[in-house]
Amino acid sequence: MYNYLDFEKPVADLEGKILELKKLAENGEAVDVADEISRLEKRSRDALRDAYKSLTPWQKVQVARHPDRPHCLDYIDALFTDFTPLAGDRAFGEDKAIVGGFARFRGQPVAVMGQEKGSDTKSRLAHNFGSPRPEGYRKAVRIMELADRFSIPVVTLVDTAGAYPGVGAEERGQAEAIARSTSACLALKVPSISIVIGEGGSGGAIAIATANRVFMLEHAIYSVISPEGAASILWRDTTRSKDAATNMKITAQDLLALKIIDGIIPEPLGGAHRAPEAVINSTGDLIARTLAEFSAKPIDFREQRREKYLALGRSL
């Protein structure tokens, strides 16, 4: 069973009926129900297609935050081999909200890192729900500097509601750590690719997402602040989060139109959580194409990145 979102209720009702019929058939408590199951499955697919045909920005926020959506470690496990994680910032300690290290991607050495939200209560607590502390960003800087030293491309997988806002994190220089991580992204002499796989929240995302190419999954979001935070600041009313989501232009489609991102990775019908293998494979294919493009036409990646973001600032 899936964790259904509010707008998926018609689909939930139909799929619930399908499960009931299948259980009855398995227990021998019903006559042949194959035709009825087939009819309900068609209605369910149609209902799912209708629900996802024109999602509102707030509905996309819900899909991007879906608990069953594949996370950073799912992508690393599926796409990369010989992954060797690095731990600690060599100054304070380890932050498990950012997972990173070196691996091989289809035979090519790469540095890979991203925010990991966790998939159950224990792992979510261990990874601090994907909200990094300063030591996490300093670890990211460490990885990027090593990648630069050995001319290894950098791939980042972004999925965070934002950097951790706790007192301890602020005392240890959260803002400075984010700024240094962003600066490290800009200073890389090697190519970098960033993919927003779920939430791309504020500076917590930008700190590892300032790349030569930035892509988003179809139902991912990328914003300067969460809709709830924006509603609280603008209207002092978090119930207006839907209005904030609409006006902030946070969807992949909006950001592609604004030329903030470079492309969109399609998701299966019903979102990435319904067919994680398919969306992970599509992401892998895009990474492969982009790395091949970088190899075919070597350029000054640092200068290209600089011009990309200066042009973005001028256009906005």
Side-chain angles (χ1 to χ4, degrees):
M1 289 289 290
Y2 296 105
N3 289 301
Y4 293 97
L5 302 171
D6 292 343
F7 65 89
E8 294 178 320
K9 190 176 185 308
V11 181
D13 292 341
L14 288 167
E15 292 189 348
K17 291 177 182 177
I18 293 169
L19 281 177
E20 287 178 10
L21 287 174
K22 287 182 176 180
K23 286 181 181 178
L24 289 173
E26 288 173 3
N27 296 332
E29 298 175 11
V31 293
D32 187 11
V33 291
D35 290 342
E36 179 64 12
I37 289 175
S38 179
R39 185 181 67 82
L40 288 173
E41 285 177 339
K42 182 181 183 306
R43 285 181 58 193
S44 176
R45 285 193 300 272
D46 291 343
L48 190 63
R49 189 174 295 106
D50 290 342
Y52 278 80
K53 185 166 54 179
S54 54
L55 294 179
T56 66
W58 179 246
Q59 288 170 336
K60 282 185 176 285
V61 171
Q62 292 177 278
V63 178
R65 294 172 174 172
H66 198 287
D68 296 333
R69 196 173 177 85
H71 299 305
C72 175
L73 284 174
D74 296 315
Y75 286 83
I76 290 175
D77 291 342
L79 297 177
F80 301 89
T81 57
D82 300 327
F83 176 58
T84 304
L86 298 187
D89 64 346
R90 298 297 185 266
F92 179 81
E94 162 67 342
D95 178 32
K96 292 185 178 180
I98 288 186
V99 176
F102 292 86
R104 290 188 179 275
F105 173 75
R106 300 184 181 181
Q108 179 177 355
V110 297
V112 58
M113 61 183 163
Q115 294 98 351
E116 171 61 34
K117 285 185 172 181
S119 55
D120 54 32
T121 301
K122 183 178 179 180
S123 61
R124 285 168 190 151
L125 289 171
H127 294 288
N128 201 35
F129 298 87
S131 293
R133 298 177 172 90
E135 46 271 25
Y137 293 112
R138 291 178 180 130
K139 176 171 67 175
V141 171
R142 207 180 131 221
I143 293 169
M144 286 187 275
E145 288 177 346
L146 276 171
D148 221 18
R149 187 176 302 169
F150 294 102
S151 300
I152 296 174
V154 175
V155 178
T156 67
L157 302 165
V158 178
D159 188 16
T160 180
Y164 184 63
V167 173
E170 297 297 344
E171 288 175 341
R172 294 195 299 278
Q174 183 72 286
E176 181 266 352
I178 290 172
R180 285 191 180 276
S181 184
T182 307
S183 177
C185 287
L186 288 168
L188 284 170
K189 295 187 288 292
V190 295
S192 56
I193 304 168
S194 184
I195 300 162
V196 183
I197 59 176
E199 284 186 275
S202 190
I206 293 171
I208 64 169
T210 311
N212 294 98
R213 295 284 188 276
V214 181
F215 302 99
M216 289 178 68
L217 264 61
E218 183 181 357
H219 301 312
I221 59 170
Y222 195 15
S223 62
V224 69
I225 190 173
S226 70
E228 294 87 348
S232 177
I233 292 171
L234 294 175
W235 299 294
R236 298 184 183 278
D237 182 2
T238 56
T239 62
R240 297 193 63 179
S241 301
K242 295 179 183 179
D243 296 330
T246 301
N247 290 300
M248 287 166 61
K249 306 296 183 185
I250 63 177
T251 69
Q253 294 73 24
D254 289 330
L255 296 172
L256 183 63
L258 291 169
K259 298 182 179 179
I260 291 175
I261 64 170
D262 300 289
I264 297 173
I265 302 170
E267 294 189 28
L269 180 63
H273 56 281
R274 282 188 170 256
E277 288 185 8
V279 78
I280 289 172
N281 289 336
S282 296
T283 301
D285 291 341
L286 179 63
I287 293 171
R289 289 196 302 271
T290 307
L291 288 174
E293 175 192 336
F294 288 150
S295 298
K297 295 181 180 179
I299 60 172
D300 186 334
F301 294 105
R302 181 164 54 182
E303 182 62 22
Q304 187 272 338
R305 207 179 297 114
R306 177 178 178 275
E307 287 302 317
K308 170 187 174 74
Y309 290 100
L310 284 175
L312 180 60
R314 288 191 292 264
S315 66
L316 296 176

